[in-house]
Amino acid sequence: MFTNRSNSSRGGKGVAILLVVLGMLLAAPANLYSAPVKVQARPKTAVKVPDKVKMDISKLVWPNPPSIARVKFLAFYAGMKFDANADTNKKKVKASWMDRLAGAQTKDATDIIKDFPFQLIGPAGIATDSKGLVYVADQRVGAVFIFNTETRDVQLIRNGFEAKFGWINSVAIDDSDRLFVSDAKLHRVVVFNAQHQQEGVIEDGIKDPVGMAVDVENRLLYVVDTQLDQVLVFDADSLRPLRRLGTGGKNHQLTTPGDFAEPYGVALDKDNNVYVTDTLNDRVEIFDADGKFISTFGKNGDGPGDFARPKGIAVDSDGHIWVMDQVTDRLQVFNRDGQLLTFLGGHGNYPGQFASGVGVYIDKLNRVFATDQYPGRLQMFRYITDSEAEGEKTRRQEAIEQKRDGKAAQKSAEPSTQSVQAKPAP
């Protein structure tokens, strides 16, 4: 019997190696494989947060200095004052039998809603009355906000309380402080007296009313109907329909001068000429006080002077035309020929920027009001008139001339600095 030495040697070595490895495993700590390996965390370093940018809005003007300012930012308004500790924020508590026996009463849901501080959510059309109060139609709240810009107090005309509204778009006020409110959902214009009591309704031929304006001299109420593609003209006193601007009935397809495709805003100048934003055609159309077409300007685009769904429109005391564009969020100012003079805005929530800008209105005090819907606010600016700007230009020129004359006088009064050559010694 022969024995294979090489195989037995290999087998012995294999067993020896296996025993060594087994011994190492048995000698290892019991938690070597059962517990996860702990990795030492890096020391935390403090992240430096940049300081908030501080903006002095009291000096916010357009155009920027050193140009002569033409628009100055004043303030913004978002709704009623909110008191976190007010009882209106507390849930209704069920009265105990002792409270009921004593005659104590708790507020029901209607009272809580009525007393809750309302905030702007979808502000659109704007108007002011003879006292300087600012009226804003809020589409989503279903209420007309009335702001006192000095005290910041707010009154409300609300759906379900002081009035019945569906989807309100705009407001207009005549010289006796009668208030007109356009309601697209209920297809009508509601009329309130100066005490905010409803006194009339206009429904004749109205389908989807949006922007409005009042000609107090000729006693006319202009109502833009975006679905009819027309501007409806009513007698502001009797509320009877008189005439219409635009052909209509072509499903927003007309582009001919004098016709509209989903118009939205309307404004009047001091001669009672009528300015209308023709939204889908991206232009402004101008008519005289008798409804005769005069001219148009504007085209689609995103460059300076272009439009991309113009909505609100207003005319200042110098005849400049202000147009709010909802897509570009720009408030642009034009002359009668459609030449761009200046603009402000752009997307954002800083003062002077807009987020879905809709309305613009200018009152007799040269206050410019604009609404944007996200987060929902009314911004107030001051228009600096042509005469004021000219006065500032003259003042600057006089200051430059005085400074120049002062330097010239100072130079002439200085002693001569010419050197005197010494005579040679004899």
Side-chain angles (χ1 to χ4, degrees):
M1 184 174 180
F2 296 92
T3 304
N4 191 333
R5 295 180 178 271
S6 62
N7 288 341
S8 64
S9 174
R10 289 174 184 173
K13 290 180 180 179
V15 171
I17 292 172
L18 181 61
L19 291 173
V20 171
V21 172
L22 183 61
M24 293 175 63
L25 292 174
L26 293 173
N31 62 349
L32 179 61
Y33 300 101
S34 60
V37 179
K38 293 183 179 180
V39 179
Q40 186 176 2
R42 294 181 180 180
K44 295 182 178 180
T45 57
V47 178
K48 186 177 180 180
V49 179
D51 297 333
K52 292 184 178 180
V53 178
K54 295 182 179 180
M55 179 184 296
D56 186 1
I57 60 175
S58 65
K59 298 180 181 179
L60 192 57
V61 296
W62 293 266
N64 294 327
S67 299
I68 296 175
R70 301 306 307 269
V71 183
K72 177 180 173 57
F73 179 82
L74 296 180
F76 78 91
Y77 306 88
M80 302 177 72
K81 297 177 181 178
F82 186 83
D83 183 3
N85 298 318
D87 292 337
T88 55
N89 295 323
K90 297 180 181 180
K91 295 182 179 180
K92 177 183 174 181
V93 180
K94 187 176 181 180
S96 66
W97 67 271
M98 293 184 65
D99 292 331
R100 293 196 298 270
L101 183 63
Q105 296 180 352
T106 57
K107 287 187 176 182
D108 58 19
T110 303
D111 291 331
I112 292 176
I113 294 173
K114 187 175 181 180
D115 295 338
F116 196 83
F118 283 72
Q119 304 296 299
L120 292 171
I121 300 178
I126 316 158
T128 59
D129 65 12
S130 61
K131 304 178 185 66
L133 299 177
V134 187
Y135 293 65
V136 180
D138 193 298
Q139 298 168 326
R140 295 180 179 88
V141 175
V144 176
F145 287 70
I146 307 171
F147 292 94
N148 186 318
T149 59
E150 296 181 359
T151 65
R152 303 190 75 90
D153 291 332
V154 184
Q155 305 174 51
L156 290 169
I157 303 176
R158 295 161 294 187
N159 175 45
F161 295 102
E162 296 83 12
K164 182 180 180 181
F165 295 137
W167 184 268
I168 58 176
N169 288 311
S170 186
V171 288
I173 300 176
D174 67 9
D175 51 349
S176 60
D177 285 345
R178 293 167 70 225
L179 172 67
F180 301 85
V181 182
S182 64
D183 193 322
K185 186 175 182 179
L186 300 181
H187 316 295
R188 65 184 189 176
V189 173
V190 186
V191 186
F192 298 86
N193 60 23
Q195 290 73 41
H196 305 156
Q197 299 167 338
Q198 183 174 329
E199 67 174 22
V201 175
I202 307 174
E203 296 177 318
D204 194 347
I206 294 179
K207 188 174 183 180
D208 190 0
V210 282
M212 296 185 297
V214 180
D215 179 349
V216 296
E217 181 180 350
N218 297 310
R219 308 307 303 166
L220 300 176
L221 171 68
Y222 291 89
V223 180
V224 180
D225 196 304
T226 189
Q227 288 302 314
L228 295 177
D229 291 331
Q230 292 178 317
V231 178
L232 313 181
V233 187
F234 297 88
D235 186 297
D237 298 318
S238 67
L239 309 182
R240 293 183 298 101
L242 298 177
R243 59 175 182 267
R244 300 187 178 203
L245 306 182
T247 303
K250 300 298 182 181
N251 196 27
H252 320 310
Q253 300 297 317
L254 294 178
T255 61
T256 51
D259 289 320
F260 309 104
E262 289 197 10
Y264 189 90
V266 59
L268 307 175
D269 64 16
K270 59 184 179 181
D271 297 321
N272 295 316
N273 293 311
V274 184
Y275 300 75
V276 183
T277 49
D278 189 5
T279 303
L280 287 190
N281 286 326
D282 294 306
R283 64 186 182 184
V284 171
E285 299 202 67
I286 307 173
F287 302 80
D288 65 16
D290 296 322
K292 181 180 178 182
F293 173 78
I294 298 177
S295 62
T296 183
F297 68 86
K299 63 180 180 63
N300 176 262
D302 57 4
D306 294 339
F307 294 131
R309 302 300 182 264
K311 288 292 187 74
I313 188 168
V315 183
D316 63 35
S317 57
D318 292 319
H320 306 133
I321 306 161
W322 300 58
V323 182
M324 175 66 80
D325 195 288
Q326 189 172 29
V327 173
T328 63
D329 281 324
R330 289 187 307 216
L331 181 55
Q332 302 185 104
V333 186
F334 302 86
N335 62 16
R336 181 69 175 269
D337 298 326
Q339 178 184 1
L340 180 65
L341 303 178
T342 189
F343 72 92
L344 62 145
H347 307 301
N349 294 319
Y350 284 108
Q353 294 180 325
F354 306 104
S356 188
V358 177
V360 58
Y361 180 85
I362 304 175
D363 68 2
K364 296 179 180 180
L365 302 176
N366 293 315
R367 297 183 301 176
V368 181
F369 299 95
T371 52
D372 52 331
Q373 300 196 325
Y374 302 101
R377 62 180 175 174
L378 170 73
Q379 297 191 65
M380 180 172 66
F381 306 87
R382 164 77 159 81
Y383 165 61
I384 299 172
T385 64
D386 287 346
S387 60
E388 290 174 320
E390 189 64 30
E392 174 63 15
K393 182 179 179 180
T394 301
R395 187 193 66 78
R396 291 187 182 187
Q397 291 176 343
E398 291 176 349
I400 293 174
E401 292 175 358
Q402 290 177 0
K403 187 175 181 180
R404 186 186 300 118
D405 294 342
K407 287 183 177 180
Q410 182 180 2
K411 186 175 181 180
S412 63
E414 291 177 354
S416 177
T417 58
Q418 296 179 354
S419 60
V420 179
Q421 186 175 3
K423 294 182 179 180

